[in-house]
Amino acid sequence: MSNKDAGSGGVQSVDRAVTILEIIARTGLAGITEIAGELGVHKSTASRIVSTLEARGLVEQDHHRGRYRLGLSILRLAGATTARLDIVQEARPITKMLAEATGETINVAVLSDGAALYLDQASSTSSVQSHNWVGQRIPLHATSNGKVLLSGLSETGIRETLGAKLTRYTPHTVTSVAQLVTQVAEVAATGFSLVIDELEVGLTAVSAPVRNAHGDVIASISASGPSFRFTAAKAASARDLLTQAAADISARLGWREH
């Protein structure tokens, strides 16, 4: 079998696995014969794919009926998406008010695959429309959002998430993991991160952590703008607004400060 054929077979198997999940989601319970019939494949093929899904907890067998239903791992996967939607929903009214209060761009980000993933953005109606960062990933070590998100991890977790090499984006980018760990510890202690010229020269950003009901850092909210306009004094004022906003969002998500 060629690599092309093997790749095609892999894609076909994935497609069939997804179809099986959709069948079970629609019917509630489905047997191998029923699944094979809808897929148009032999029962042995359907059984093999179902067994793989079962091994990953995506489906489970009802032993009384011998049929399959969706497994608990589906809830875990869905829960990750739901949690992000909850953050956006609870944060949006606050981010819009912050954008107007600061006159700068407000972003909400979460930790995702070793980067900061932007979930939502709000801009002041008086400012020129900024770049839309929603859906984009940015480096953790060179951004205020990233350092806030790292502040929720242990030192070991930080090192494992970052790896050994930190990319230099400007002369001000921190490229020493040890130095970054020290900075992140300070962020954890103070409850905010201020970054100037580390990702781009001329860009200033300040961020604060959003927490869940358990007090874990699950997101970061930031204000950012060009350094000539977003001066140190304005950043300090935005910092106070951001930390209060982050606490308000956290409270909406069930966190209570002790």
Side-chain angles (χ1 to χ4, degrees):
M1 180 184 290
S2 68
N3 289 336
K4 181 178 179 181
D5 291 337
S8 298
V11 171
Q12 186 181 54
S13 294
V14 171
D15 184 67
R16 286 172 173 171
V18 172
T19 302
I20 289 171
L21 293 175
E22 291 174 341
I23 291 169
I24 297 174
R26 185 182 73 245
T27 61
L29 284 170
I32 295 298
T33 301
E34 179 183 353
I35 291 169
E38 288 213 35
L39 287 178
V41 300
H42 193 275
K43 287 200 297 183
S44 62
T45 299
S47 180
R48 175 174 51 81
I49 299 174
V50 168
S51 292
T52 300
L53 293 171
E54 185 178 19
R56 299 301 296 268
L58 295 170
V59 301
E60 59 187 28
Q61 190 173 28
D62 183 323
H63 294 290
H64 295 293
R65 302 182 185 181
R67 304 169 79 190
Y68 291 87
R69 61 183 169 226
L70 294 180
L72 294 179
S73 287
I74 290 288
L75 296 177
R76 176 177 54 81
L77 295 174
T81 299
T82 301
R84 290 181 177 182
L85 291 174
D86 286 345
I87 293 169
V88 171
Q89 181 177 351
E90 298 299 341
R92 185 161 289 168
I94 294 174
T95 58
K96 287 181 178 179
M97 288 189 293
L98 274 176
E100 294 303 324
T102 63
E104 303 296 347
T105 300
I106 307 298
N107 282 297
V108 176
V110 295
L111 191 63
S112 175
D113 295 328
L117 170 66
Y118 281 122
L119 292 186
D120 202 21
Q121 177 174 307
S123 299
S124 168
T125 54
S126 61
S127 65
V128 177
Q129 181 61 37
S130 62
H131 175 75
N132 187 356
W133 290 94
V134 176
Q136 297 191 39
R137 287 178 167 83
I138 59 167
L140 295 168
H141 68 285
T143 60
S144 64
N145 273 318
K147 292 178 185 182
V148 164
L149 294 170
L150 289 173
S151 72
L153 304 178
S154 65
E155 180 175 340
T156 300
I158 293 171
R159 293 180 181 275
E160 289 177 349
T161 299
L162 292 172
K165 184 176 177 58
L166 303 182
T167 302
R168 182 182 297 279
Y169 295 98
T170 76
H172 303 282
T173 305
V174 176
T175 56
S176 161
V177 175
Q179 183 181 354
L180 182 65
V181 167
T182 299
Q183 288 186 352
V184 171
E186 184 176 352
V187 170
T190 60
F192 74 93
S193 172
L194 173 64
V195 166
I196 303 172
D197 298 340
E198 292 189 34
L199 182 62
E200 298 177 20
V201 172
L203 178 65
T204 294
V206 59
S207 304
V210 174
R211 302 177 185 275
N212 62 13
H214 305 291
D216 305 317
V217 176
I218 57 170
S220 174
I221 182 170
S222 67
S224 61
S227 301
F228 72 85
R229 186 180 71 219
F230 198 34
T231 61
K234 288 186 176 179
S237 176
R239 175 199 66 204
D240 295 338
L241 291 173
L242 279 168
T243 52
Q244 183 58 56
D248 291 344
I249 297 168
S250 300
R252 290 180 177 220
L253 295 170
W255 178 65
R256 296 291 181 269
E257 187 173 5
H258 299 294

